[in-house]
Amino acid sequence: MPTVTLSTYLRITRASALFDIIIVMPFATPWSFLLMYPKLSGLNLWMGGTMLPPFAAIHVLISCLMGSLVLLWSVRRLLEPSLALGRYDGAGRFLFATWMLWALLEGGMPVVWLFLVPELLWGAAQWWPVAPSRKAQRANKAGLKLVRMS
């Protein structure tokens, strides 16, 4: 399987963080969420689904809490990308994708596809194999696996 260099991987991690910031920003505050939600509902209707149900304050609260956490996590990955953070983010994306698939199976929400597809693509990109650096390859003895020692 082809690999990517670490510098390419870190650019992928930054790009995924920037993507998340743009997509999740409307979910970060009750005011932005309440402006975006009717448009999301209209888009769902246009895609062949039903109008999304009205949200009570508790639903908005949970959405904004999650949006705020994703924003913080995204800023961290944007400013300090690393292989470890990218791998964690990839795992989180596959977990989020699981819940999105569940929502699709519940029916009436084709708009979820607009979130699910990028989630799976970013998850795959962040789990793509990274080539060991030349320095690590030179230091590695034949037949030994590269491991990080703390």
Side-chain angles (χ1 to χ4, degrees):
M1 174 177 257
T3 60
V4 296
T5 64
L6 182 59
S7 63
T8 297
Y9 183 84
L10 296 179
R11 282 196 301 275
I12 291 168
T13 300
R14 274 194 177 108
S16 75
L18 187 58
F19 173 84
D20 285 348
I21 289 169
I22 292 166
I23 295 300
V24 172
M25 190 75 72
F27 293 90
T29 72
W31 307 280
S32 56
F33 180 82
L34 292 173
L35 287 173
M36 181 267 314
Y37 192 70
K39 292 172 182 23
L40 196 60
S41 186
L43 184 58
N44 193 60
L45 190 62
W46 181 79
M47 294 177 74
T50 60
M51 291 297 286
L52 299 177
F55 265 35
I58 188 68
H59 303 115
V60 175
L61 171 66
I62 292 168
S63 295
C64 293
L65 289 174
M66 187 158 65
S68 298
L69 287 174
V70 171
L71 274 180
L72 290 172
W73 172 246
S74 300
V75 169
R76 172 72 196 272
R77 292 182 351 258
L78 184 67
L79 298 178
E80 299 177 40
S82 71
L83 182 60
L85 291 180
R87 295 295 197 226
Y88 278 114
D89 190 60
R93 287 179 183 281
F94 292 135
L95 187 61
F96 273 40
T98 301
W99 310 139
M100 290 178 194
L101 284 170
W102 169 82
L104 282 170
L105 291 174
E106 289 294 303
M109 292 191 295
V111 74
V112 172
W113 283 107
L114 299 177
F115 296 92
L116 174 62
V117 171
E119 206 70 20
L120 291 171
L121 293 174
W122 284 119
Q126 291 182 124
W127 272 94
W128 203 262
V130 175
S133 70
R134 293 186 197 278
K135 180 179 174 183
Q137 287 174 337
R138 284 192 303 267
N140 189 31
K141 298 205 182 341
L144 297 178
K145 288 188 170 195
L146 294 172
V147 295
R148 181 177 162 189
M149 302 300 284
S150 300

